[in-house]
Amino acid sequence: LENQKKIELIKAIVETEENQKRKIASDLHDNIITELTLKALNLKTFIAEIEEGHNDFTKIKRGVAEIAALSDRIREIVHGIIPRLFTSFGLIKSIEVVVNEMNNIDNSVAEFKIGSGLKNELILSEQQQLTLYITCTEILNNLIKHAHYSYLEVSIEASDEHLLVVFAHDGTGITNKEIGRLTLEGSGIGLKSIQSRVLSLRGKIDYSIEKEIGRAHV
């Protein structure tokens, strides 16, 4: 059973990566490569005209501007792979921005807290921070869709060896047992993606419900 779970998680990772590769390939092939080829041919023609004695550089300038615009579009595709919010603000601030933007969704309240043990320099590499950021946003999206909370608190605490991210809310919770069942049944690709990313970080994710105070934790 444990091996089957690992296989399903690996399949989820491969499926996610393959879908992303297909999207990138499509964007580059359909929107960029053809235009870039045509513009390069045009520039070659314009340069030949200049070499023949024409003094009008207007076409050259326009071609350079068009290639610069294509460069911006390629940058947008790249930002689709690496979220712009993350590249602009880093892990902690970008999560804080996302949580703050969740305020007043269906009149709910969302708060972000940073623990006193969190240092300026995180123990994670940039790639690990990106993986954690994507994982956190996936969890937040799931909470918006399914938890029906009125209050959400996201907190980050760190020690010398561990980074702890807690999502606590007063909505509908879920347990590790229920998560395991959904994952095994194959009905939650998003859940498999979250678990696979956590495993890639050599981390652990825990779902719990504290019934006595009516709060659920991830």
Side-chain angles (χ1 to χ4, degrees), residues 29 35 47 67 103 147 164 215:
H29 182 272
E35 287 189 42
I47 291 172
I67 290 178
N103 267 298
L164 177 66
R215 288 164 70 90

Side-chain angles (χ1 to χ4, degrees), residues 93-159:
K93 186 63 179 178
S94 57
I95 294 177
E96 181 179 6
V97 171
V98 172
V99 173
N100 288 336
E101 289 180 349
M102 292 172 62
N103 267 298
N104 297 320
I105 295 179
D106 295 330
N107 296 318
S108 62
V109 175
E111 291 187 329
F112 179 78
K113 295 184 178 181
I114 301 177
S116 58
L118 190 62
K119 298 178 180 179
N120 292 329
E121 295 185 3
L122 294 173
I123 57 177
L124 302 175
S125 67
E126 184 176 359
Q127 180 57 50
Q128 289 174 321
Q129 290 182 48
L130 175 59
T131 300
L132 182 55
Y133 170 75
I134 294 173
T135 303
C136 289
T137 55
E138 288 178 344
I139 291 174
L140 291 172
N141 284 332
N142 282 347
L143 292 177
I144 292 173
K145 292 177 181 177
H146 306 295
H148 308 294
Y149 61 85
S150 60
Y151 175 77
L152 168 68
E153 178 185 296
V154 180
S155 60
I156 300 182
E157 180 63 77
S159 65

Side-chain angles (χ1 to χ4, degrees), residues 17-217:
E17 290 181 346
E18 288 303 315
N19 288 337
Q20 188 179 57
K21 288 177 183 178
R22 280 193 289 269
K23 183 180 184 304
I24 295 169
S26 176
D27 287 342
L28 290 175
H29 182 272
D30 297 341
N31 302 320
I32 300 297
I33 294 178
T34 301
E35 287 189 42
L36 187 59
T37 301
L38 290 174
K39 294 184 189 310
L41 291 173
N42 287 337
L43 276 178
K44 191 174 182 179
T45 300
F46 301 155
I47 291 172
E49 292 177 356
I50 295 296
E51 291 176 342
E52 291 175 0
H54 294 273
N55 294 322
D56 185 4
F57 289 86
T58 304
K59 293 180 179 179
I60 292 283
K61 292 178 180 179
R62 185 173 68 244
V64 171
E66 290 172 347
I67 290 178
L70 274 177
S71 175
D72 291 336
R73 288 168 62 183
I74 293 173
R75 190 176 295 109
E76 289 178 1
I77 293 174
V78 172
H79 284 148
I81 304 170
I82 303 177
R84 184 174 300 180
L85 188 61
F86 175 84
T87 58
S88 299
F89 298 108
L91 175 64
I92 304 300
K93 186 63 179 178
S94 57
I95 294 177
E96 181 179 6
V97 171
V98 172
V99 173
N100 288 336
E101 289 180 349
M102 292 172 62
N103 267 298
N104 297 320
I105 295 179
D106 295 330
N107 296 318
S108 62
V109 175
E111 291 187 329
F112 179 78
K113 295 184 178 181
I114 301 177
S116 58
L118 190 62
K119 298 178 180 179
N120 292 329
E121 295 185 3
L122 294 173
I123 57 177
L124 302 175
S125 67
E126 184 176 359
Q127 180 57 50
Q128 289 174 321
Q129 290 182 48
L130 175 59
T131 300
L132 182 55
Y133 170 75
I134 294 173
T135 303
C136 289
T137 55
E138 288 178 344
I139 291 174
L140 291 172
N141 284 332
N142 282 347
L143 292 177
I144 292 173
K145 292 177 181 177
H146 306 295
H148 308 294
Y149 61 85
S150 60
Y151 175 77
L152 168 68
E153 178 185 296
V154 180
S155 60
I156 300 182
E157 180 63 77
S159 65
D160 292 336
E161 299 180 353
H162 300 93
L163 187 67
L164 177 66
V165 185
V166 178
F167 302 81
H169 61 88
D170 61 357
T172 303
I174 195 167
T175 63
N176 287 326
K177 184 177 180 180
E178 292 172 305
I179 288 290
R181 176 180 59 79
L182 292 172
T183 303
L184 188 61
E185 291 175 352
S187 58
I189 294 297
L191 295 176
K192 292 176 183 177
S193 175
I194 290 172
Q195 290 193 30
S196 65
R197 293 183 191 280
V198 172
L199 284 177
S200 73
L201 294 171
R202 291 180 294 177
K204 178 182 178 183
I205 185 166
D206 182 62
Y207 298 83
S208 64
I209 300 175
E210 298 180 12
K211 294 183 179 179
E212 65 274 12
I213 57 174
R215 288 164 70 90
H217 290 80

